[in-house]
Amino acid sequence: MPGHDLTRLRVAITAFFALDGFVFAGWVVRIPSVKEQTGASPGALGLALLGVSAGAVVTMMLTGRLCRRFGSHPVTVVCAVLLSLSVSLPPLTHSALALGAVLLVFGAAFGGINVAFNSAAVDLVAALRRPVMSSFHAAFSLGGMIGAGLGGLVAGSLSATRHLLGITVIGLLVTAVAGRTLLHHAPPAPPGPPGPPEHLPATADGAPAGPKGPRDRAGGDGRSDGGDRSGTRGLVVTFGLIALCTAYGEGALADWGVLHLEEDLNASPGVAALGYSCFALAMTVGRLTGTTLLEHLGRTRVLVVGGTTATAGMLLGSLAPSVWATLLGFAVTGLGLANIFPVAIERAGALAGPGGVATASTLGYLGMLLGPPTIGFLAEWHSLPAALTSVAALAAFASAIAFATRHAAPK
């Protein structure tokens, strides 16, 4: 595929990552308004948010098959349309049960597009032979930052209904423009090796890949062709758990960070919206510098240091008695978590090809989607600040797993 076509594909896929973050953040900053409208308790809201998780998990299990049958590009476009339309539904509900039902649809679209565009990104990264995966996730964070910032600006002037309807219009416009590129280009095939054997991509055990490229070490179902398959699957699941632990923090901060600032620290709606903006901005900066960090520190150190940093940041963000200290804690948490998810997905792919990417991605996004209802149940049982410390606990656990598996996994 010509270089300019690869560039157009990269721009289009980046646009969908950014759109996903933008739409998700638009919903996030309106959760307090929807909660008030429905009259839901923290526990009931947690159950309603479980609709997002349930819809996403079911769809993620099916999206891989849909991508194999129809291609990741068309599936991405269809899911983007559904995501854009479904985000306008929550403010139309007036009970926790109705909210959970529409969030089931929203979650299905969210889960589907995340698997689809990650699959498209994996194909493009293989064709480019450049470690640009973090840049796609940076676009998601940037979209989230813009969406949260915009939500904070219009929170006092626009109703949730009008705000989210506007996001629907923007989402459909972006899909119409970027979707044309995806629909007119098939996923690129990885090029042949550019140099002698010693420069070929390494397989999971560190040996050079064969002349047909790194994909040949995986079968059609994404599993390793030889060696210890159970050991490889175990490491893939390990990286999936690392992604789950850190994505749990993303989901928890997205859905409960604003409520923590408003209800526990008495912040205004506009200031409370800054909580997710600070987190998303820090994630964006961290991911944009991710390639440089990986080159200087290596993947294991990035995982361990990132998890440790996120632990300290979230303890500050959840337990600090002032708004500004909490905002600082959210930002530090974002910096710590920034590159853990992309690195975990990349390592799983290096071990087991596309099948490894799918497994780790599903586990990772499961953590993001299960985080909010879990926080809701913990908040109902104790308090929201105490519930948010679970983010710090899981970030520390992810750091410990990364350190414990540093010799077993490819560097």
Side-chain angles (χ1 to χ4, degrees):
M1 180 178 287
H4 67 276
D5 285 342
L6 292 178
T7 300
R8 291 182 63 189
L9 274 179
R10 183 176 179 182
V11 171
I13 294 172
T14 300
F16 280 110
F17 270 84
L19 175 64
D20 190 41
F22 178 79
V23 172
F24 188 72
W27 149 244
V28 162
V29 299
R30 285 301 187 171
I31 288 177
S33 298
V34 174
K35 177 180 181 290
E36 181 179 358
Q37 177 179 305
T38 59
S41 67
L45 181 61
L47 282 173
L49 292 173
L50 193 60
V52 179
S53 305
V57 169
V58 172
T59 306
M60 284 179 171
M61 295 170 64
L62 298 175
T63 302
R65 298 177 183 177
L66 292 175
C67 288
R68 285 192 293 271
R69 181 171 181 180
F70 301 105
S72 59
H73 291 182
V75 175
T76 297
V77 174
V78 171
C79 289
V81 172
L82 294 176
L83 183 73
S84 300
L85 292 174
S86 60
V87 75
S88 65
L89 300 178
L92 303 179
T93 62
H94 297 281
S95 69
L97 181 62
L99 178 62
V102 300
L103 289 182
L104 188 69
V105 179
F106 180 72
F110 180 77
I113 194 172
N114 275 278
V115 172
F117 63 38
N118 266 297
S119 298
V122 167
D123 290 330
L124 184 59
V125 168
L128 290 172
R129 290 188 178 275
R130 294 184 59 202
V132 298
M133 195 68 176
S134 288
S135 68
F136 293 117
H137 290 267
F140 174 85
S141 299
L142 180 61
M145 181 189 68
I146 295 173
L150 178 63
L153 289 175
V154 305
S157 57
L158 284 181
S159 66
T161 301
R162 291 184 177 181
H163 175 205
L164 295 183
L165 182 60
I167 290 179
T168 292
V169 174
I170 293 172
L172 293 176
L173 289 175
V174 171
T175 301
V177 175
R180 292 183 61 187
T181 299
L182 290 192
L183 294 177
H184 284 82
H185 293 85
E198 60 268 22
H199 294 122
L200 292 177
T203 59
D205 60 1
K212 293 183 180 179
R215 280 193 171 191
D216 290 329
R217 69 180 179 273
D221 58 358
R223 293 175 297 182
S224 176
D225 282 335
D228 186 357
R229 291 190 179 185
S230 61
T232 298
R233 283 195 295 269
L235 281 174
V236 167
V237 172
T238 297
F239 283 115
L241 288 176
I242 291 174
L244 183 152
C245 289
T246 55
Y248 173 97
E250 286 194 59
L253 275 174
D255 282 8
W256 292 102
V258 176
L259 281 173
H260 172 55
L261 287 163
E262 278 197 30
E263 297 185 354
D264 298 318
L265 300 176
N266 298 316
S268 67
V271 173
L274 285 176
Y276 188 70
S277 295
C278 290
F279 176 74
L281 175 61
M283 290 276 287
T284 304
V285 172
R287 285 173 170 172
L288 288 175
T289 58
T291 300
T292 300
L293 287 174
L294 288 167
E295 289 173 347
H296 286 82
L297 298 178
R299 292 177 176 85
T300 297
R301 288 193 181 95
V302 166
L303 292 175
V304 173
V305 173
T308 304
T309 302
T311 300
M314 199 58 223
L315 287 175
L316 175 63
S318 58
L319 302 178
S322 71
V323 170
W324 300 111
T326 298
L327 293 176
L328 175 62
F330 285 178
V332 173
T333 303
L335 284 175
L337 295 181
N339 291 295
I340 299 180
F341 188 94
V343 169
I345 299 302
E346 179 196 359
R347 291 300 80 208
L351 284 165
V357 172
T359 299
S361 295
T362 301
L363 285 171
Y365 283 110
L366 180 63
M368 175 182 285
L369 297 166
L370 289 180
T374 301
I375 294 292
F377 292 132
L378 292 175
E380 186 91 351
W381 175 63
H382 196 279
S383 68
L384 183 53
L388 288 173
T389 61
S390 63
V391 175
L394 286 182
F397 184 57
S399 182
I401 295 175
F403 183 78
T405 58
R406 65 192 183 280
H407 298 305
K411 298 296 184 288

